[in-house]
Amino acid sequence: MKYILGAYATAPVSDSWQPELQESYLNGIKQIENIRGIEHPFTGQLHAHDDEWFLRNIDPDWSFVFTGVPGVMGRLAKDGTFGIASDVESGRTAGIDFYRQMHAAVIKLNGHLGRKAVETIQLHTSPNRTGAPSSSDALKRSLEEIVSWDWDGAGLVIEHCDAFVEGLKPEKGFLTLEEEIESILAVNQQCGSNLGLSINWGRSALETRSIEGPLEHLRLAREAGLLRGLMFSGISDCETPYGAWRDTHMPPAEIFPGGHFANGSLLTRDQMALSLEAAEWQRLDFIGAKIGVRPQALDGATRVAYNRDCLAALDLLISGR
């Protein structure tokens, strides 16, 4: 089994763009044998610093899952109305324009590699409801336009992030899963499209403040016939270097002795196994992991090792060992 890895979340941290440092890290990631591709962060152009550097340093055989979260959050910091679910028309059209930029980056990457390397596009239902109104109706109008573009073979999914919940402070505060399901089903019926959903374990646990939340979200998406992907990020309910109930992509708790894992993580061996079962993982388009690491001063080799061990844990669970 091979996986999609959100390797950008573990990349070395530096005050400025250091291509040699990032190249060394990426070369280490390439040595992880059970990767079939990466989750690629989109901020407005193919690579946040240097498109040509990116094209030179990726593995030409990788598959790609694009995520707009970094770009979405950057724009929300400047304009709280931004997003494809926004009831503020200027914010909604800005959200559509953002995905039009992503579309151009997808075409550029596929053209460089000479194949349809981008398999999946993950859309996000901003804005944060604590700052601006949003709705499934606004989302439907945006999706109707976005699905009309030729994505050069890439499938479209909404990655569910933590929704606004009364009385809780959200990290994202986007639409509820039920609203996303309603919108997707309506657009698929009207447009003949094949929009789906992906679930990030940690973000669903964050929204519901429970380990049952990811299982419920996986069940709802699967029963709606929309579940396409599952990414594992951990989270903690107590103070750790990763924070309590924070979307910091905490690694799993120890899965096997001697591995690189995180004390206090709610993403345990049992929870990973239950989630794979709830997702009916054999039917998914992609499975993978996106983890962060602490402390920030960790060297590149250790960062690679955390990713290697997380995917090794997935292998153990999928093989039933």
Side-chain angles (χ1 to χ4, degrees):
M1 184 72 183
K2 293 197 172 186
Y3 307 100
I4 295 295
L5 180 67
Y8 75 93
T10 325
V13 177
S14 56
D15 293 333
S16 60
W17 169 237
Q18 296 186 27
E20 297 83 6
L21 177 66
Q22 301 300 328
E23 181 178 352
S24 176
Y25 168 73
L26 204 55
N27 284 339
I29 292 295
K30 291 175 185 176
Q31 303 309 308
I32 302 176
E33 294 183 354
N34 55 353
I35 290 177
R36 68 177 183 85
I38 59 171
E39 184 184 66
H40 178 60
F42 181 77
T43 58
Q45 59 187 44
L46 179 56
H47 187 268
H49 298 283
D50 187 339
D51 284 9
E52 296 310 311
W53 176 92
F54 177 73
L55 293 172
R56 286 195 307 272
N57 283 281
I58 54 175
D59 187 319
D61 294 325
W62 275 346
S63 296
F64 297 85
V65 173
F66 271 48
T67 175
V69 158
V72 167
M73 299 309 292
R75 283 158 176 76
L76 280 172
K78 299 175 182 177
D79 176 7
T81 71
F82 172 87
I84 56 173
S86 182
D87 285 333
V88 179
E89 188 61 16
S90 60
R92 192 182 72 83
T93 56
I96 292 173
D97 288 343
F98 172 75
Y99 287 110
R100 199 182 300 278
Q101 293 168 345
M102 184 187 286
H103 177 270
V106 168
I107 301 303
K108 182 174 184 176
L109 178 55
N110 284 352
H112 172 80
L113 294 174
R115 61 188 177 87
K116 297 179 179 180
V118 181
E119 292 185 358
T120 305
I121 306 299
Q122 294 190 115
L123 311 170
H124 299 88
T125 59
S126 60
N128 187 324
R129 279 177 157 163
T130 63
S134 61
S135 67
S136 56
D137 285 341
L139 177 61
K140 289 173 195 172
R141 287 190 289 137
S142 298
L143 292 176
E144 286 167 6
E145 180 168 351
I146 291 169
V147 301
S148 72
W149 308 338
D150 180 359
W151 284 93
D152 201 26
L156 300 177
V157 301
I158 288 175
E159 182 192 29
H160 180 66
C161 295
D162 68 291
F164 172 77
V165 177
E166 194 70 45
L168 297 178
K169 182 180 179 180
E171 294 254 344
K172 300 292 188 293
F174 295 169
L175 294 190
T176 67
L177 183 63
E178 290 81 1
E179 288 171 310
E180 291 169 349
I181 288 173
E182 174 198 345
S183 300
I184 292 170
L185 291 175
V187 171
N188 282 349
Q189 181 176 21
Q190 179 173 334
C191 301
S193 51
N194 192 33
L195 276 161
L197 280 163
S198 63
I199 298 295
N200 177 292
W201 194 95
R203 287 172 174 158
S204 289
L206 170 62
E207 175 185 325
T208 60
R209 300 297 198 271
S210 74
I211 57 176
E212 287 78 24
L215 299 176
E216 176 65 8
H217 286 178
L218 288 166
R219 182 188 65 80
L220 287 171
R222 190 196 73 234
E223 290 181 352
L226 299 176
L227 186 61
R228 306 282 189 269
L230 169 60
M231 293 291 284
F232 284 104
S233 292
I235 202 164
S236 182
D237 60 354
C238 58
E239 282 302 331
T240 70
Y242 299 86
W245 297 122
R246 294 295 308 279
D247 188 16
T248 52
H249 310 301
M250 190 176 188
E254 183 177 293
I255 307 295
F256 52 82
H260 294 74
F261 299 107
N263 293 330
S265 179
L266 295 175
L267 183 57
T268 62
R269 182 187 183 106
D270 286 347
Q271 291 306 315
M272 291 178 75
L274 288 170
S275 297
L276 288 166
E277 181 182 1
E280 296 182 356
W281 64 266
Q282 301 94 330
R283 302 174 63 182
L284 298 180
D285 293 339
F286 65 93
I287 305 171
K290 175 165 63 179
I291 58 172
V293 291
R294 300 291 185 276
Q296 298 285 17
L298 283 178
D299 60 80
T302 305
R303 292 168 179 272
V304 171
Y306 269 94
N307 284 295
R308 179 199 66 214
D309 291 348
C310 186
L311 296 187
L314 264 175
D315 263 349
L316 286 174
L317 293 166
I318 282 178
S319 67
R321 295 198 296 264

